[in-house]
Amino acid sequence: MATTREGARPGWVRLCRADEIEEGQSRGFDPDDEGQDSLFVVRWQGQLHAWRNACPHIDGAPMAWRRDAYLNAAGTRIVCHAHGAEFMPDSGLCVQGPCRGERLGHIEFVVDADGELFVKS
Amino acid sequence: MKIVGLESLVFAVDDVRSAARFLVDYGLTPVDVSDRGGRFEAMDGTAVVIARQDDPALPPGPTPGCRLRKTVMGVADEATLGAIAAELRRDREVRRLPDGSIESIDDCGFVIGFQVTARRPFVLPSEISNAPGGVVFRPVNSLGVPPPGSVIRPRSLSHVVYFVPDVMKAEAFYVNRLGFRCTDRFTGTGPFLQPAGSLDHHTHFLIGAPPHMHGVEHFTFHFGGPSEMITNGYRFVEKGYQAFWGPGRHILGSNWFWYFNSPFGCHIEMDADMDQHDASWQPREATASADNSQTFLLKMRRKWYPGPGIPENGDYA
């Protein structure tokens, strides 16, 4: 996880406070106001990871089954709730399902010195 | 063989409480639900049944990732049940369960059950369109749009769609062993199948897919009409559920559709107004593109006239 004091610079969009996303939790965001969450952030084994909300097996398929619900019940896998593909939260690698071996699209983010989470707009 | 349609679908879930809330929000009625699972019924008693994924009573799925563990079909009478048991016992095990149903496995690895149907007949008007020159009209002063707060419930379990690694083998099982007929077909994809005791365009649709996709694409319940179904879908979206495709109307089958993600490792659909066919129907064949699947797709516009919250230059730029 990158840490910077320049998170508020132009070209970056604030999502939330980093500590609002707890261990084993996920949250979706719509920073470009598309009307649907375009990315989501998970915290797994202490670390935050941000991924495009788009299953690699169908171009652009949204993955949650309910707002912010991207993980299995144990919080150990990201699940695409279209056809059940499972991904590792840290690498985005699909380990089970229709796109096994493919990866989620990585989203670059920073957490600034105040603990605020930003992504590139 | 008079199979009348789907009776219930049994799913293994990793979070009973969340899955139960999802099904109730979809419109189903919980029956005998506990922290171990339960039954969620449409108006005629057809149902989704969920159980914890570690429940030893669950049959195995076709693949480890498939949460559908059993597809139960309803049949007209005991004679049909006996005929199915005799047919399947020719080459596979058929178990008689304590509830009187029978259980076996199809040729693509899905556990199947059959029971004398327990569907509860009911009479409730379906959606009627008023049109100049029409023959059937809604009663005068009755409303076409479901009023806010009206209760909308799924009427009956409609169909299930399987991904199968050998679609010809799977089709042959349902047609030759269980008496289904193909109503329409997507070339190179698979058939829409109708059992002998139903006029619905399909209760099963088979999609040929690589072995690692073996499982379920979606399942769905019939609603009372497109207005009711789409109203229910919008309510579902407002509760935070994730739409995938729709609302729109299919070409083959003519059913209105709206697909959503689900906690069952597959999509769930809401559908309405599916075509009915009898044995005189000649199957059509089409390529399985999106253009051949949707006759139209609807999009909601929240603001459509100038007013508060609308930019000076309008909302159309």
Side-chain angles (χ1 to χ4, degrees), chain B residues 161-178:
Chain B
V161 178
Y162 295 145
F163 288 122
V164 293
D166 186 339
V167 72
M168 290 181 71
K169 186 179 175 188
E171 178 178 357
F173 174 82
Y174 282 94
V175 170
N176 299 333
R177 308 295 299 279
L178 294 177

PDB file of all heavy atoms in Angstrom, chain B residues 161-178:
ATOM      1  N   VAL B 161     -31.415 -23.066 -16.280  1.00  0.00           N
ATOM      2  CA  VAL B 161     -30.508 -23.133 -17.429  1.00  0.00           C
ATOM      3  C   VAL B 161     -29.187 -23.730 -16.971  1.00  0.00           C
ATOM      4  O   VAL B 161     -28.529 -23.195 -16.072  1.00  0.00           O
ATOM      5  CB  VAL B 161     -30.289 -21.730 -18.033  1.00  0.00           C
ATOM      6  CG1 VAL B 161     -29.301 -21.794 -19.188  1.00  0.00           C
ATOM      7  CG2 VAL B 161     -31.617 -21.146 -18.498  1.00  0.00           C
ATOM      8  N   TYR B 162     -28.827 -24.854 -17.596  1.00  0.00           N
ATOM      9  CA  TYR B 162     -27.602 -25.551 -17.234  1.00  0.00           C
ATOM     10  C   TYR B 162     -26.487 -25.248 -18.236  1.00  0.00           C
ATOM     11  O   TYR B 162     -26.728 -25.232 -19.449  1.00  0.00           O
ATOM     12  CB  TYR B 162     -27.810 -27.068 -17.271  1.00  0.00           C
ATOM     13  CG  TYR B 162     -28.782 -27.662 -16.287  1.00  0.00           C
ATOM     14  CD1 TYR B 162     -29.570 -28.756 -16.654  1.00  0.00           C
ATOM     15  CD2 TYR B 162     -28.900 -27.181 -14.991  1.00  0.00           C
ATOM     16  CE1 TYR B 162     -30.442 -29.352 -15.768  1.00  0.00           C
ATOM     17  CE2 TYR B 162     -29.774 -27.770 -14.093  1.00  0.00           C
ATOM     18  CZ  TYR B 162     -30.542 -28.858 -14.480  1.00  0.00           C
ATOM     19  OH  TYR B 162     -31.407 -29.444 -13.600  1.00  0.00           O
ATOM     20  N   PHE B 163     -25.262 -25.060 -17.730  1.00  0.00           N
ATOM     21  CA  PHE B 163     -24.061 -25.189 -18.561  1.00  0.00           C
ATOM     22  C   PHE B 163     -23.673 -26.661 -18.539  1.00  0.00           C
ATOM     23  O   PHE B 163     -23.460 -27.233 -17.457  1.00  0.00           O
ATOM     24  CB  PHE B 163     -22.892 -24.392 -17.967  1.00  0.00           C
ATOM     25  CG  PHE B 163     -22.993 -22.903 -18.083  1.00  0.00           C
ATOM     26  CD1 PHE B 163     -22.960 -22.104 -16.947  1.00  0.00           C
ATOM     27  CD2 PHE B 163     -23.075 -22.275 -19.321  1.00  0.00           C
ATOM     28  CE1 PHE B 163     -23.020 -20.717 -17.040  1.00  0.00           C
ATOM     29  CE2 PHE B 163     -23.133 -20.887 -19.423  1.00  0.00           C
ATOM     30  CZ  PHE B 163     -23.106 -20.106 -18.287  1.00  0.00           C
ATOM     31  N   VAL B 164     -23.569 -27.282 -19.699  1.00  0.00           N
ATOM     32  CA  VAL B 164     -23.219 -28.707 -19.746  1.00  0.00           C
ATOM     33  C   VAL B 164     -22.046 -28.921 -20.693  1.00  0.00           C
ATOM     34  O   VAL B 164     -21.948 -28.280 -21.743  1.00  0.00           O
ATOM     35  CB  VAL B 164     -24.418 -29.569 -20.178  1.00  0.00           C
ATOM     36  CG1 VAL B 164     -25.504 -29.542 -19.105  1.00  0.00           C
ATOM     37  CG2 VAL B 164     -24.988 -29.106 -21.502  1.00  0.00           C
ATOM     38  N   PRO B 165     -21.138 -29.831 -20.333  1.00  0.00           N
ATOM     39  CA  PRO B 165     -19.965 -30.046 -21.189  1.00  0.00           C
ATOM     40  C   PRO B 165     -20.283 -30.800 -22.479  1.00  0.00           C
ATOM     41  O   PRO B 165     -19.564 -30.670 -23.450  1.00  0.00           O
ATOM     42  CB  PRO B 165     -19.005 -30.855 -20.294  1.00  0.00           C
ATOM     43  CG  PRO B 165     -19.864 -31.430 -19.220  1.00  0.00           C
ATOM     44  CD  PRO B 165     -21.049 -30.536 -19.056  1.00  0.00           C
ATOM     45  N   ASP B 166     -21.353 -31.610 -22.478  1.00  0.00           N
ATOM     46  CA  ASP B 166     -21.723 -32.362 -23.681  1.00  0.00           C
ATOM     47  C   ASP B 166     -23.209 -32.135 -23.925  1.00  0.00           C
ATOM     48  O   ASP B 166     -24.071 -32.853 -23.408  1.00  0.00           O
ATOM     49  CB  ASP B 166     -21.420 -33.855 -23.486  1.00  0.00           C
ATOM     50  CG  ASP B 166     -21.654 -34.660 -24.760  1.00  0.00           C
ATOM     51  OD1 ASP B 166     -22.404 -34.191 -25.647  1.00  0.00           O
ATOM     52  OD2 ASP B 166     -21.090 -35.763 -24.862  1.00  0.00           O
ATOM     53  N   VAL B 167     -23.502 -31.103 -24.709  1.00  0.00           N
ATOM     54  CA  VAL B 167     -24.905 -30.675 -24.830  1.00  0.00           C
ATOM     55  C   VAL B 167     -25.744 -31.704 -25.598  1.00  0.00           C
ATOM     56  O   VAL B 167     -26.930 -31.881 -25.300  1.00  0.00           O
ATOM     57  CB  VAL B 167     -24.977 -29.263 -25.455  1.00  0.00           C
ATOM     58  CG1 VAL B 167     -24.625 -29.280 -26.927  1.00  0.00           C
ATOM     59  CG2 VAL B 167     -26.342 -28.632 -25.222  1.00  0.00           C
ATOM     60  N   MET B 168     -25.142 -32.415 -26.539  1.00  0.00           N
ATOM     61  CA  MET B 168     -25.921 -33.418 -27.281  1.00  0.00           C
ATOM     62  C   MET B 168     -26.318 -34.583 -26.371  1.00  0.00           C
ATOM     63  O   MET B 168     -27.443 -35.081 -26.423  1.00  0.00           O
ATOM     64  CB  MET B 168     -25.113 -33.914 -28.488  1.00  0.00           C
ATOM     65  CG  MET B 168     -24.964 -32.842 -29.569  1.00  0.00           C
ATOM     66  SD  MET B 168     -24.037 -33.399 -30.997  1.00  0.00           S
ATOM     67  CE  MET B 168     -25.199 -34.536 -31.721  1.00  0.00           C
ATOM     68  N   LYS B 169     -25.372 -34.982 -25.531  1.00  0.00           N
ATOM     69  CA  LYS B 169     -25.654 -36.068 -24.588  1.00  0.00           C
ATOM     70  C   LYS B 169     -26.739 -35.642 -23.591  1.00  0.00           C
ATOM     71  O   LYS B 169     -27.657 -36.398 -23.277  1.00  0.00           O
ATOM     72  CB  LYS B 169     -24.365 -36.430 -23.858  1.00  0.00           C
ATOM     73  CG  LYS B 169     -24.454 -37.631 -22.942  1.00  0.00           C
ATOM     74  CD  LYS B 169     -23.084 -37.886 -22.309  1.00  0.00           C
ATOM     75  CE  LYS B 169     -23.153 -39.009 -21.281  1.00  0.00           C
ATOM     76  NZ  LYS B 169     -21.895 -39.127 -20.530  1.00  0.00           N
ATOM     77  N   ALA B 170     -26.615 -34.395 -23.114  1.00  0.00           N
ATOM     78  CA  ALA B 170     -27.584 -33.898 -22.140  1.00  0.00           C
ATOM     79  C   ALA B 170     -28.970 -33.800 -22.768  1.00  0.00           C
ATOM     80  O   ALA B 170     -29.976 -34.198 -22.171  1.00  0.00           O
ATOM     81  CB  ALA B 170     -27.143 -32.532 -21.615  1.00  0.00           C
ATOM     82  N   GLU B 171     -29.034 -33.271 -23.993  1.00  0.00           N
ATOM     83  CA  GLU B 171     -30.336 -33.148 -24.673  1.00  0.00           C
ATOM     84  C   GLU B 171     -30.951 -34.529 -24.903  1.00  0.00           C
ATOM     85  O   GLU B 171     -32.147 -34.726 -24.689  1.00  0.00           O
ATOM     86  CB  GLU B 171     -30.167 -32.405 -26.002  1.00  0.00           C
ATOM     87  CG  GLU B 171     -31.485 -32.300 -26.775  1.00  0.00           C
ATOM     88  CD  GLU B 171     -31.359 -31.531 -28.086  1.00  0.00           C
ATOM     89  OE1 GLU B 171     -30.258 -31.017 -28.381  1.00  0.00           O
ATOM     90  OE2 GLU B 171     -32.373 -31.441 -28.802  1.00  0.00           O
ATOM     91  N   ALA B 172     -30.119 -35.472 -25.325  1.00  0.00           N
ATOM     92  CA  ALA B 172     -30.631 -36.821 -25.610  1.00  0.00           C
ATOM     93  C   ALA B 172     -31.261 -37.429 -24.356  1.00  0.00           C
ATOM     94  O   ALA B 172     -32.304 -38.099 -24.428  1.00  0.00           O
ATOM     95  CB  ALA B 172     -29.498 -37.705 -26.128  1.00  0.00           C
ATOM     96  N   PHE B 173     -30.651 -37.188 -23.193  1.00  0.00           N
ATOM     97  CA  PHE B 173     -31.211 -37.734 -21.949  1.00  0.00           C
ATOM     98  C   PHE B 173     -32.611 -37.178 -21.712  1.00  0.00           C
ATOM     99  O   PHE B 173     -33.562 -37.930 -21.461  1.00  0.00           O
ATOM    100  CB  PHE B 173     -30.291 -37.417 -20.771  1.00  0.00           C
ATOM    101  CG  PHE B 173     -30.872 -37.815 -19.450  1.00  0.00           C
ATOM    102  CD1 PHE B 173     -30.786 -39.135 -19.008  1.00  0.00           C
ATOM    103  CD2 PHE B 173     -31.531 -36.891 -18.644  1.00  0.00           C
ATOM    104  CE1 PHE B 173     -31.340 -39.523 -17.796  1.00  0.00           C
ATOM    105  CE2 PHE B 173     -32.079 -37.263 -17.429  1.00  0.00           C
ATOM    106  CZ  PHE B 173     -31.990 -38.586 -17.006  1.00  0.00           C
ATOM    107  N   TYR B 174     -32.751 -35.864 -21.784  1.00  0.00           N
ATOM    108  CA  TYR B 174     -34.054 -35.267 -21.462  1.00  0.00           C
ATOM    109  C   TYR B 174     -35.110 -35.607 -22.523  1.00  0.00           C
ATOM    110  O   TYR B 174     -36.291 -35.791 -22.200  1.00  0.00           O
ATOM    111  CB  TYR B 174     -33.907 -33.747 -21.262  1.00  0.00           C
ATOM    112  CG  TYR B 174     -33.312 -33.447 -19.897  1.00  0.00           C
ATOM    113  CD1 TYR B 174     -31.942 -33.272 -19.732  1.00  0.00           C
ATOM    114  CD2 TYR B 174     -34.118 -33.426 -18.768  1.00  0.00           C
ATOM    115  CE1 TYR B 174     -31.394 -33.057 -18.475  1.00  0.00           C
ATOM    116  CE2 TYR B 174     -33.589 -33.211 -17.503  1.00  0.00           C
ATOM    117  CZ  TYR B 174     -32.224 -33.034 -17.360  1.00  0.00           C
ATOM    118  OH  TYR B 174     -31.695 -32.841 -16.102  1.00  0.00           O
ATOM    119  N   VAL B 175     -34.704 -35.704 -23.778  1.00  0.00           N
ATOM    120  CA  VAL B 175     -35.661 -35.985 -24.851  1.00  0.00           C
ATOM    121  C   VAL B 175     -36.002 -37.476 -24.894  1.00  0.00           C
ATOM    122  O   VAL B 175     -37.177 -37.857 -24.890  1.00  0.00           O
ATOM    123  CB  VAL B 175     -35.092 -35.498 -26.206  1.00  0.00           C
ATOM    124  CG1 VAL B 175     -35.962 -35.989 -27.362  1.00  0.00           C
ATOM    125  CG2 VAL B 175     -35.000 -33.967 -26.212  1.00  0.00           C
ATOM    126  N   ASN B 176     -34.969 -38.312 -24.910  1.00  0.00           N
ATOM    127  CA  ASN B 176     -35.211 -39.747 -25.139  1.00  0.00           C
ATOM    128  C   ASN B 176     -35.625 -40.494 -23.882  1.00  0.00           C
ATOM    129  O   ASN B 176     -36.372 -41.466 -23.959  1.00  0.00           O
ATOM    130  CB  ASN B 176     -33.956 -40.404 -25.726  1.00  0.00           C
ATOM    131  CG  ASN B 176     -33.574 -39.802 -27.056  1.00  0.00           C
ATOM    132  OD1 ASN B 176     -34.440 -39.287 -27.787  1.00  0.00           O
ATOM    133  ND2 ASN B 176     -32.292 -39.836 -27.383  1.00  0.00           N
ATOM    134  N   ARG B 177     -35.140 -40.051 -22.737  1.00  0.00           N
ATOM    135  CA  ARG B 177     -35.427 -40.797 -21.507  1.00  0.00           C
ATOM    136  C   ARG B 177     -36.601 -40.196 -20.733  1.00  0.00           C
ATOM    137  O   ARG B 177     -37.317 -40.912 -20.044  1.00  0.00           O
ATOM    138  CB  ARG B 177     -34.183 -40.827 -20.600  1.00  0.00           C
ATOM    139  CG  ARG B 177     -32.904 -41.305 -21.299  1.00  0.00           C
ATOM    140  CD  ARG B 177     -32.997 -42.765 -21.745  1.00  0.00           C
ATOM    141  NE  ARG B 177     -33.201 -43.684 -20.633  1.00  0.00           N
ATOM    142  CZ  ARG B 177     -32.224 -44.140 -19.836  1.00  0.00           C
ATOM    143  NH1 ARG B 177     -30.973 -43.774 -20.052  1.00  0.00           N
ATOM    144  NH2 ARG B 177     -32.501 -44.965 -18.854  1.00  0.00           N
ATOM    145  N   LEU B 178     -36.763 -38.866 -20.819  1.00  0.00           N
ATOM    146  CA  LEU B 178     -37.788 -38.219 -19.994  1.00  0.00           C
ATOM    147  C   LEU B 178     -38.909 -37.575 -20.807  1.00  0.00           C
ATOM    148  O   LEU B 178     -39.823 -36.965 -20.240  1.00  0.00           O
ATOM    149  CB  LEU B 178     -37.140 -37.160 -19.086  1.00  0.00           C
ATOM    150  CG  LEU B 178     -36.181 -37.713 -18.019  1.00  0.00           C
ATOM    151  CD1 LEU B 178     -35.538 -36.569 -17.234  1.00  0.00           C
ATOM    152  CD2 LEU B 178     -36.906 -38.659 -17.054  1.00  0.00           C
TER     153      LEU B 178
END
